[in-house]
Amino acid sequence: MIQAIVFFPLVGALVAGLLGRIIGHRTSEYITTGLMIAAALLSWVVFAGYWFAPEAAEGAAHGAGHAEATKVVVLSWIHSGALQLDWTLRVDTLTAVMLVVVNSVSCLVHVYSIGYMAEDPHRSRFFAYLSLFTFAMLMLVTADNFLQMFFGWEGVGLASYLLIGFWYQRPAANKAAMKAFVVNRVGDFGFALGIFAAFVVLGHLDFDGAFHAVEAQKDATMHFLSWEMHAMTVVCLLLFMGAMGKSAQFLLHTWLPDAMEGPTPVSALIHAATMVTAGVFMVARLSPLFEASGIAMTTVMLVGAMTAFFAATVGLVQNDIKRVIAYSTCSQLGYMFVALGSGMYSAGVFHLFTHAFFKALLFLGAGSVIHAMHHEQDMRNMGGLKNKIPFTYWMMIIGTVALTGVGIPGIIPDFALGFAGFASKDAIIETAYAAGASTGYIAFWALVIAALFTSFYSWRLIHLTFHGTPREAHAGHGHGHDDHAAHDDHGHGHHGSAYDNAHESPMVMLVPLGVLAVGAVLAGMVFYGQFFGHAEHVEHFFQGSVVVNAELLEAAHKVPLWVKWSATIAMVLGFLAAWQMYIRDPKMPKRVADANPGLYQFLLNKWYFDELYDRIFVRPSLFIGRAIWKGFDDWLIDRTLAEGLGARVKDVTARVVKLQSGYLYHYAFAMLIGIAALLTFAIAAGGLF
């Protein structure tokens, strides 16, 4: 069964990619989508086996993380001396959770894309890329060793490059794809170094061997130049550098918003539920390693808290509907890393699980809005769409209340009465407070403030898009990014045409929204006990696939009531602020922006990170490259050596060649002159004898 789950998407990618022109677009769509539906259904079967599993396997020690997983050997891979690695599919609870997330979202995105990409002339290639990405992600989550994980890690990077730049005729899409690829290479360089360091320190590349070796090496040091460093800290920080790139954490986040240049289904698949969660999955999978380094854990927590706060501030002022959701993704990933850094890996995976449903719902809902508005993406050119696309409106409302965390905390012990985001996000906030110390409290307040901002920009999106009066004086003429190169002519009609002609999306696009909405409503309440209930329930569910910190889990459940209510209060305040500024007094945002122009520009320009990196990295690199080009290659090589020295050699040889006349008497005369010169030299030197 696991082989079918993993390789069905690969089969679909090969069929659509290699035979798409022969079998046609429609057949390619049906084959790839059908295989993804089968893989998704089988993933739920596997997940159900762990959900309803009997008592955890004996030997799944209390938080040890060493329980044996089910392993399926695909083929023999690397056998060299002590290095023995097979291509093995590792299946445990953590894998099962990721299989459900990856395949469910990918399946629904495939179905949705049948409608969304219906007019694209290259859609068979698009579906091949979607399935290829899914296969690479499945390779990552089923990896049983570092090298296999690295293969999947790089595979999703390649597939994301292809999907972000799918409309390659557009310069903006090409630049966004290249930016995502380059920024991720920075993180991947650290990830590769982390793998090398793990092999040097632990002596193993397979996960089980590495996990068992941690205890013996937890106090080991590593000598580098003149420094003596804690070995496991070095290993974990390098590995986390890879997670920062792939999961768009602070400093390596700049690629994520630009990736919205790809088609909207790509945004839902890659940047909501799968690729960006690869870093979260990796840290959770390697939790036994991270537990050996307090510095690494603190770093993960603080970077996550900073990311959650930073992305939430930038999301406050974005005008592109997809970019608002993109910064929301970045912020929610920060929440996940706070949970991981605190040692509550199950809570981080819980938010990853619930986030997949409501964030994919929001992205696909935004795609339905863009489709209705003839590919207009600027929210300032929308408004009043509630009655035009009612089903999409209510799906977006469900996604928004799930994201903002609507629920009632502290009513029923060990149960979350609320939407999916409420259950998992509040679990992380409570964990951060329970972690205590300065870092825990810093993370707690950063997450609460981020919850306030999240509520504000989420309801701002709803109000600007669906409520109020249509801002049709500018419809079709905004400066939002056109979402479809093939439809450029659709959004540029007469004034108000985009709104006047707005219509609900076809059923093939609406059904995935309805399915995701069910997950956004129920996922938190249904699975709360498995991810964040009593310690024995969490240990029973995960069966050692991640470390479970029973003491921290118990402390998180016993935090003060005001802590449990903090995120809810922040959510309500954000909702009221958005209602005041965009419904009751629509001119208020302009007044606030005019009163604080510096702050507004600072947030609108995303803290000027792109400009900063341009000054620090891009311009110096261009200067060095231009200096080498003009100074070394052009002047030294071409002019001085090739055209200078080379030309002189050519001149000399041209003159020397003239001495070879071909006439015998010329050569005899030259010999006579030579003999005379020798005799003259001999006489002048003192005679011949």
Side-chain angles (χ1 to χ4, degrees):
M1 183 182 296
I2 185 63
Q3 296 97 320
I5 293 173
V6 171
F7 289 105
F8 273 179
L10 178 61
V11 173
L14 293 175
V15 170
L18 300 179
L19 304 176
R21 293 187 178 182
I22 299 174
I23 63 178
H25 296 305
R26 184 64 67 189
T27 305
S28 298
E29 293 172 350
Y30 288 162
I31 290 176
T32 54
T33 304
L35 289 171
M36 278 310 311
I37 292 173
L41 293 175
L42 291 175
S43 298
W44 278 100
V45 172
V46 172
F47 178 73
Y50 287 92
W51 185 12
F52 299 110
E55 289 302 312
E58 223 173 289
H62 194 67
H66 294 162
E68 290 297 325
T70 301
K71 299 183 181 182
V72 179
V73 178
V74 177
L75 51 83
S76 180
W77 192 22
I78 300 175
H79 293 267
S80 177
L83 183 59
Q84 302 288 321
L85 292 178
D86 290 327
W87 198 278
T88 304
L89 304 180
R90 180 189 185 98
V91 186
D92 54 19
T93 304
L94 182 59
T95 304
V97 171
M98 294 303 298
L99 290 178
V100 164
V101 169
V102 173
N103 284 326
S104 297
V105 174
S106 181
C107 159
L108 295 172
V109 166
H110 274 74
V111 174
Y112 181 92
S113 298
I114 292 175
Y116 191 85
M117 303 293 289
E119 299 178 33
D120 194 281
H122 307 290
R123 57 187 183 277
S124 60
R125 175 166 59 88
F126 179 77
F127 278 82
Y129 289 168
L130 287 182
S131 293
L132 177 64
F133 170 84
T134 306
F135 168 71
M137 193 68 195
L138 293 175
M139 281 284 97
L140 193 159
V141 302
T142 58
D144 188 47
N145 56 71
F146 283 101
L147 291 187
Q148 194 176 331
M149 178 179 278
F150 191 74
F151 170 81
W153 194 271
E154 295 303 305
V156 294
L158 168 64
S160 68
Y161 171 79
L162 296 173
L163 286 168
I164 295 169
F166 178 74
W167 288 318
Y168 56 86
Q169 303 95 334
R170 297 168 50 200
N174 287 326
K175 291 179 180 178
M178 186 62 70
K179 185 176 183 180
F181 198 78
V182 170
V183 174
N184 272 276
R185 295 293 72 74
V186 175
D188 293 354
F189 178 68
F191 186 50
L193 291 179
I195 293 174
F196 301 153
F199 183 61
V200 170
V201 175
L202 302 174
H204 296 273
L205 283 179
D206 65 287
F207 292 149
D208 287 338
F211 295 162
H212 283 95
V214 169
E215 183 65 25
Q217 300 296 329
K218 64 180 182 180
D219 296 321
T221 58
M222 178 184 292
H223 185 77
F224 179 74
L225 298 179
S226 59
W227 297 300
E228 200 74 23
M229 298 174 289
H230 184 237
M232 290 308 302
T233 297
V234 174
V235 171
C236 292
L237 288 178
L238 288 172
L239 293 172
F240 179 59
M241 184 176 173
M244 289 177 64
K246 198 67 70 181
S247 294
Q249 291 301 281
F250 188 67
L251 300 180
L252 293 181
H253 65 277
T254 53
W255 67 270
L256 184 63
D258 290 3
M260 297 302 104
E261 292 291 343
T264 298
V266 174
S267 304
L269 178 64
I270 297 181
H271 309 114
T274 50
M275 173 178 161
V276 292
T277 61
V280 178
F281 166 79
M282 183 265 285
V283 175
R285 170 65 77 205
L286 303 180
S287 55
L289 275 64
F290 280 84
E291 285 291 307
S293 172
I295 294 176
M297 296 286 283
T298 300
T299 302
V300 172
M301 177 185 280
L302 292 178
V303 170
M306 188 65 206
T307 304
F309 174 78
F310 155 75
T313 63
V314 177
L316 295 172
V317 297
Q318 296 300 305
N319 298 309
D320 185 298
I321 188 171
K322 286 170 62 177
R323 285 180 182 257
V324 173
I325 305 173
Y327 277 107
S328 171
T329 297
C330 191
S331 182
Q332 298 306 306
L333 289 166
Y335 277 84
M336 299 176 204
F337 279 107
V338 168
L340 299 176
S342 68
M344 192 63 70
Y345 303 96
S346 62
V349 176
F350 188 25
H351 198 47
L352 183 159
F353 181 75
T354 61
H355 176 264
F357 293 103
F358 61 75
K359 190 52 62 68
L361 173 60
L362 286 171
F363 266 119
L364 295 184
S368 184
V369 172
I370 295 167
H371 183 271
M373 290 293 290
H374 302 278
H375 303 278
E376 172 64 64
Q377 292 183 210
D378 195 324
M379 296 185 298
R380 293 170 296 182
N381 299 330
M382 300 180 186
L385 290 175
K386 175 183 176 181
N387 296 324
K388 286 280 188 177
I389 46 175
F391 185 84
T392 299
Y393 168 71
W394 285 110
M395 293 301 99
M396 291 289 284
I397 288 291
I398 292 174
T400 298
V401 296
L403 169 63
T404 57
V406 174
I408 305 175
I411 297 298
I412 306 174
D414 300 323
F415 181 77
L417 185 59
F419 289 82
F422 164 76
S424 55
K425 185 159 67 174
D426 280 32
I428 295 174
I429 291 174
E430 292 164 15
T431 296
Y433 185 87
S438 57
T439 53
Y441 295 135
I442 290 172
F444 167 75
W445 286 111
L447 297 187
V448 171
I449 296 172
L452 169 67
F453 292 161
T454 299
S455 179
F456 176 83
Y457 66 65
S458 298
W459 288 108
R460 172 179 178 265
L461 183 152
I462 293 294
H463 296 326
L464 284 175
T465 304
F466 296 101
H467 297 155
T469 57
R471 289 173 290 280
E472 58 184 32
H474 304 286
H477 295 270
H479 56 271
H481 301 283
D482 190 316
D483 194 50
H484 202 312
H487 297 162
D488 280 351
D489 57 332
H490 289 182
H492 297 275
H494 61 278
H495 288 316
S497 62
Y499 175 80
D500 293 339
N501 298 322
H503 56 85
E504 194 64 272
S505 299
M507 190 59 65
V508 73
M509 292 173 61
L510 299 182
V511 170
L513 298 182
V515 176
L516 289 168
V518 174
V521 174
L522 299 177
M525 292 185 285
V526 173
F527 297 104
Y528 184 85
Q530 283 76 17
F531 290 93
F532 200 68
H534 289 296
E536 60 270 20
H537 293 161
V538 177
E539 290 174 349
H540 163 83
F541 178 65
F542 279 98
Q543 299 187 22
S545 58
V546 298
V547 173
V548 177
N549 189 330
E551 293 182 3
L552 180 61
L553 185 55
E554 183 178 356
H557 286 301
K558 294 181 179 179
V559 296
L561 190 60
W562 70 267
V563 174
K564 292 179 178 291
W565 277 90
S566 59
T568 300
I569 294 172
M571 177 270 297
V572 172
L573 292 176
F575 169 80
L576 294 175
W579 178 80
Q580 169 67 26
M581 296 179 70
Y582 294 96
I583 297 297
R584 186 177 180 185
D585 186 4
K587 295 183 179 180
M588 186 176 178
K590 187 177 187 307
R591 295 199 304 270
V592 173
D594 292 342
N596 303 275
L599 178 61
Y600 177 73
Q601 290 298 322
F602 180 70
L603 297 180
L604 188 63
N605 288 281
K606 302 157 288 189
W607 290 29
Y608 292 103
F609 268 104
D610 285 329
E611 291 79 3
L612 181 64
Y613 286 170
D614 182 64
R615 291 289 183 91
I616 297 176
F617 300 113
V618 177
R619 292 188 185 183
S621 298
L622 290 175
F623 175 79
I624 294 172
R626 192 172 288 109
I628 294 175
W629 167 36
K630 293 293 186 181
F632 181 79
D633 187 56
D634 196 6
W635 178 80
L636 180 61
I637 301 298
D638 291 343
R639 296 183 184 179
T640 304
L641 296 181
E643 298 177 3
L645 183 59
R648 301 295 76 75
V649 171
K650 183 179 180 181
D651 292 342
V652 171
T653 54
R655 289 177 171 80
V656 171
V657 164
K658 293 180 179 179
L659 297 177
Q660 304 293 327
S661 65
Y663 294 109
L664 182 62
Y665 59 86
H666 284 175
Y667 299 148
F669 180 72
M671 292 170 63
L672 181 62
I673 295 296
I675 292 173
L678 288 173
L679 290 174
T680 302
F681 174 77
I683 294 171
L688 291 173
F689 307 103

